[in-house]
Amino acid sequence: MPGRLSVPRLRGGTPAEAGLDVAQLDLLVREVRRLPESHPEGEDPWCAGAVVLAGRGSVVAVEEAAGWAVRYTACDEEAGRGVELPRERRVPMRTGTLFDLASLTKLFTAVAAVQQVERGALDLDRPVAAYVPGFGAAGKAAVTVRQLLTHTSGLRPELPLYEREGRAAQLAMVWEDAPLTAPGTAYCYSDLNLIALQAVLEGVSERPLDELVREGITGPLGMAATGFGPVGAVGVAGAGVVAATEDQRRPWAKLDRGMLCGEVHDENAYALGGVAGHAGLFSTAGDLAVLCRALLGGGTYGAARILTQESADALLDPPGLGFGIDQPWFMGELAGHGAAGHTGFTGTSLILDRTTDTFLILLANTIHPRRRPANNAPRATAATRLARAVRPQTAGLA
């Protein structure tokens, strides 16, 4: 790519150095620390543990860990609660803990797609079937690559790919499925969009997705902790800790795999070999902050450049390519002036806001020991704290 002046790399600093209000950030940290605490009613807490990282510009003003990376040995089906490990056998959460990112993987796939556009190998407004002919079956001939990235293709949210053996048979299930709505007419969030996009990218580049991510994103940015699983104790920031996810068993899950820690949780990503466009990456809060900083810096971080300014803007301008824009259900008061981000089923989330030059990563193992209906209130509350740290308001949260 053409040269560009380097931009500052991330560094630790105080709220004042970041231009953020210390009182709001203290509340943010205090509230995150409470998330792993048990409910008085005896229910499992919102998460077993969490890591929060927040900053502005090149300054990381908050980086805290709370609770446990591994807290439970199983889920008691009858009680509907986790079976806790003895305290001495639990694994404490660390700021360098690796998390199964789940759908945050989609952001990396989106970046890889825009990189192929820059190289002239991909046109967002061409039909997907021009790159993967089999995709055009069952009324999908007009679906474009852009519609995959904006979730306007009409594809259903998911299919049980894990019921078929072999990648060809699994992808054929997607190719054979008819859209629920006419392409371009309605929004429907779908894992299948990014699974199809993976096939497009691997076709035009003649490289597997994990190589595209490593060589085009994580390698240049120095995100050494980020990669597709399975992962083990890899010595991230001296911690060597991986956050556990689910005691994956029927009837609440789709496969019987037991307690997962270091293997991708998503059943379809697992069936696809652990490398999928919609899920499969593992990372740390610190690495994700680097990605945020690179996007806020117009595709540049330090001396590395992974995107042009135009491409970075394309990802983050409404309606977003892969990124959700202004979603108050998890962005709280950061939403409303172009904030971009995403959430992951395992309890992960990332938000970046070009208007205030801020970023927030909240990683939690909310499905440890088992999945539950989503509760996004803690994510929205954390984002609101950061928003108010930039522009303090007299009205506060209780």
Side-chain angles (χ1 to χ4, degrees), residues 290-331:
V290 170
L291 178 65
C292 289
R293 189 67 254 154
L295 292 169
L296 289 168
T300 302
Y301 181 73
R305 181 179 176 188
I306 62 167
L307 294 169
T308 65
Q309 179 73 58
E310 181 181 13
S311 294
D313 289 343
L315 288 164
L316 305 178
D317 285 344
L321 296 175
F323 287 77
I325 309 298
D326 286 335
Q327 302 290 320
W329 57 273
F330 79 94
M331 296 180 180

Side-chain angles (χ1 to χ4, degrees), residues 19-390:
L20 297 170
D21 179 69
V22 66
Q24 288 294 330
L25 294 188
D26 283 346
L27 286 170
L28 167 61
V29 170
R30 193 180 314 161
E31 288 161 352
V32 169
R33 285 176 176 165
R34 286 202 294 261
L35 294 176
E37 295 176 2
S38 296
H39 292 291
E41 297 82 3
E43 299 176 0
D44 289 332
W46 184 75
C47 63
V51 176
V52 63
L53 186 152
R56 189 180 194 189
S58 61
V59 178
V60 174
V62 167
E63 189 174 16
E64 295 280 342
W68 308 95
V70 184
R71 178 172 182 169
Y72 305 98
T73 184
C75 180
D76 184 326
E77 183 175 349
E78 291 186 5
R81 293 199 57 196
V83 179
E84 291 191 302
L85 288 161
R87 199 171 184 88
E88 66 273 12
R89 290 180 54 200
R90 299 180 196 175
V91 180
M93 192 68 77
R94 300 284 185 253
T95 54
T97 295
L98 277 166
F99 284 80
D100 179 341
L101 295 185
S103 284
L104 293 193
T105 302
K106 294 179 171 72
L107 305 182
F108 291 80
T109 308
V111 172
V114 174
Q115 289 177 330
Q116 293 302 314
V117 173
E118 288 186 4
R119 291 168 173 77
L122 184 65
D123 183 338
L124 295 182
D125 295 309
R126 286 193 75 189
V128 176
Y131 302 103
V132 183
F135 177 88
K140 300 191 299 298
V143 173
T144 67
V145 176
R146 187 183 301 275
Q147 288 165 348
L148 297 180
L149 281 162
T150 56
H151 296 285
T152 56
S153 66
L155 296 182
R156 68 184 68 245
E158 63 178 356
L159 286 166
L161 308 187
Y162 50 84
E163 293 181 352
R164 292 192 179 182
E165 291 288 338
R167 181 182 177 85
Q170 291 157 353
L171 292 180
M173 184 180 285
V174 181
W175 304 167
E176 294 161 1
D177 196 55
L180 299 177
T181 58
T185 62
Y187 176 89
C188 180
Y189 180 81
S190 172
D191 287 348
L192 305 184
N193 286 323
L194 278 295
I195 291 171
L197 183 58
Q198 176 186 0
V200 172
L201 295 178
E202 293 182 340
V204 299
S205 68
E206 298 183 339
R207 308 289 293 280
L209 180 62
D210 55 342
E211 287 187 14
L212 293 177
V213 169
R214 182 174 61 252
E215 295 175 9
I217 305 171
T218 62
L221 295 180
M223 298 170 64
T226 304
F228 287 93
V231 298
V234 294
V236 179
V241 172
V242 184
T245 54
E246 184 176 41
D247 180 10
Q248 193 172 91
R249 290 187 281 129
R250 294 179 174 91
W252 55 80
K254 302 162 189 172
L255 294 174
D256 291 305
R257 298 169 61 203
M259 185 62 73
L260 301 176
C261 186
E263 287 191 83
V264 63
H265 169 267
D266 183 271
E267 292 94 340
N268 279 340
Y270 172 73
L272 288 165
V275 178
H278 71 295
L281 276 172
F282 288 75
S283 189
T284 64
D287 266 19
L288 291 176
V290 170
L291 178 65
C292 289
R293 189 67 254 154
L295 292 169
L296 289 168
T300 302
Y301 181 73
R305 181 179 176 188
I306 62 167
L307 294 169
T308 65
Q309 179 73 58
E310 181 181 13
S311 294
D313 289 343
L315 288 164
L316 305 178
D317 285 344
L321 296 175
F323 287 77
I325 309 298
D326 286 335
Q327 302 290 320
W329 57 273
F330 79 94
M331 296 180 180
E333 292 179 13
L334 276 178
H337 47 272
H342 214 289
T343 64
F345 185 79
T346 52
T348 59
S349 59
L350 172 158
I351 308 169
L352 55 99
D353 180 21
R354 287 177 293 174
T355 302
T356 58
D357 201 25
T358 56
F359 48 93
L360 173 69
I361 295 105
L362 178 58
L363 305 179
N365 48 0
T366 59
I367 62 169
H368 181 52
R370 63 163 285 186
R371 66 190 72 189
R372 294 171 289 177
N375 173 8
N376 290 292
R379 291 164 166 161
T381 298
T384 292
R385 290 300 181 201
L386 181 58
R388 293 182 183 184
V390 177

